[in-house]
Amino acid sequence: DLRFGYPAGGLRDAWATELKALLEADAAIAQAVVDISWRIHSHKVQGELTPIPGVKNVLAVASGKGGVGKSTTTANVALALAAEGAKVGILDADIYGPSIPRMMGLSGRPDIEGEAILPKVSHGVQTMSIGYLIEEDTPMVWRGPMVTQALQQLLNETRWDDLDYLVIDLPPGTGDIQLTLSQRVPVSGALIVTTPQDIALLDARKGLKMFEKVGVPVLGIVENMSTHVCSNCGHEEPIFGTGGGEQMAADYGVDLLGQIPLDIQIRMQADGGIPTVAAAPESNLAEAYLSVARQAAARLSRQARSKKLQFPNIKILDT
């Protein structure tokens, strides 16, 4: 019996078969029965913050720069974690430019139950976004305090249903929303999305340093648009350069979780409301996202666990 601290549904049968063969290669073992399962714990967050009700772990996905495919990566990593066997949600924290409703094929206002907002569900993933509350072409002409208040309401007033991971799609930059997240939202770990291009790496480094300063562990870097794949001949070309993600990972002592190609199928599937992991789960592209999700979850499982949910607050009153 083996129990992991992260979901691994896609590899469980292969691992069990391999381990069974290894055990039975020992002449002293006539027959081996292997059972693999997992239990996802709540992990330590920054400062004295406590986990959100109904959410074990918050994972922040940041880029520092727009246009590097952060929202597409968020959607596919969330779907990959769900495919591996976890209960997953997505919070679209990009108040000015919400993308998750379109990518997850959702629209319309969420249901209200009492004072709680019920998340909208797509492909087995719970989601919440300001995009459900406004028209798609309505600009959010809000100052910083209004934006941060909206983020906190979406996060805390949504009735998340027993999530193992809540993946937050952050807007680009290191401004009000990122500051609110680092100070008021209990984050277990962060993923940094970048392209190999030097200009993107400059801003990605700022995002990574921000998480370091506030005590949020960076689980790793995802290099998106690593190579361009021609849809006609399949030729791959590194149009944004090579080695940028690897160098950044080496410079800061973090892991390069994966390199995702620039492929037209990823764009078409996200625009169509069925991201790659759901649209083509057996494809090489989906496997790249699954690998990123597994590695991020595995690295989080090695972090210290949160004690906040294990011990109640005990008050002694002199009555």
Side-chain angles (χ1 to χ4, degrees):
D1 291 319
L2 296 177
R3 177 178 286 181
F4 291 91
Y6 59 94
L11 296 176
R12 175 167 54 186
D13 291 344
W15 284 349
T17 300
E18 183 176 356
L19 186 54
K20 175 179 170 68
L22 288 169
L23 290 169
E24 291 178 349
D26 186 334
I29 300 176
Q31 182 180 8
V33 178
V34 179
D35 180 71
I36 295 177
S37 61
W38 50 84
R39 181 180 179 185
I40 302 168
H41 295 275
S42 181
H43 292 275
K44 188 177 179 180
V45 299
Q46 72 275 35
E48 297 299 317
L49 297 175
T50 58
I52 299 165
V55 179
K56 289 182 181 177
N57 299 287
V58 173
L59 301 180
V61 180
S63 64
K65 183 177 181 62
V68 298
K70 174 183 48 56
S71 296
T72 305
T73 301
T74 297
N76 277 293
V77 166
L79 286 168
L81 288 168
E84 289 295 281
K87 291 193 69 173
V88 186
I90 301 175
L91 175 66
D92 189 350
D94 194 344
I95 304 298
Y96 294 118
S99 303
I100 294 301
R102 170 68 68 92
M103 289 186 178
M104 298 297 285
L106 293 167
S107 61
R109 291 181 174 271
D111 293 330
I112 306 295
E113 190 173 281
E115 296 183 355
I117 309 170
L118 300 184
K120 298 180 77 68
V121 179
S122 177
H123 311 300
V125 172
Q126 301 171 41
T127 71
M128 183 50 61
S129 171
I130 195 71
Y132 300 140
L133 306 175
I134 60 171
E135 297 298 325
E136 200 170 45
D137 59 352
T138 300
M140 301 302 294
V141 189
W142 287 357
R143 294 188 183 276
M146 295 178 66
V147 171
T148 56
Q149 183 179 3
L151 171 63
Q152 289 184 271
Q153 287 181 314
L154 291 175
L155 179 66
N156 296 315
E157 295 180 16
T158 299
R159 184 172 293 167
W160 305 107
D161 183 16
D162 193 25
L163 296 181
D164 296 310
Y165 305 103
L166 175 62
V167 187
I168 298 186
D169 180 26
L170 286 173
T174 53
D176 287 328
I177 289 182
Q178 290 81 358
L179 185 61
T180 297
L181 185 92
S182 64
Q183 292 180 335
R184 303 179 188 178
V185 178
V187 181
S188 301
L191 282 72
I192 306 295
V193 180
T194 185
T195 66
Q197 189 177 9
D198 289 343
I199 297 299
L201 287 163
L202 286 173
D203 292 327
R205 290 171 185 266
K206 295 175 184 176
L208 187 148
K209 293 296 288 183
M210 178 195 72
F211 287 116
E212 282 188 351
K213 287 185 176 181
V214 297
V216 173
V218 174
L219 302 176
I221 296 168
V222 181
E223 186 182 84
N224 199 29
M225 308 183 199
S226 184
T227 59
H228 172 252
V229 180
C230 177
S231 58
N232 290 323
C233 67
H235 173 69
E236 290 191 34
E237 184 176 7
I239 59 175
F240 291 117
T242 59
E246 290 176 337
Q247 186 61 52
M248 181 177 168
D251 289 345
Y252 291 97
V254 298
D255 294 302
L256 180 65
L257 299 178
Q259 295 171 299
I260 311 297
L262 176 61
D263 191 295
I264 192 172
Q265 293 300 318
I266 296 176
R267 194 276 302 166
M268 292 175 63
Q269 289 155 354
D271 283 352
I274 310 176
T276 302
V277 172
E282 303 300 323
S283 67
N284 290 336
L285 295 173
E287 180 55 39
Y289 286 116
L290 285 161
S291 178
V292 168
R294 289 186 197 115
Q295 290 187 70
R299 281 158 177 73
L300 178 61
S301 72
R302 298 204 297 261
Q303 303 285 347
R305 295 180 187 176
S306 172
K307 304 295 183 183
K308 300 290 185 179
L309 295 181
Q310 299 179 23
F311 298 103
N313 291 323
I314 299 174
K315 293 184 179 180
I316 300 175
L317 302 177
D318 185 7
T319 54

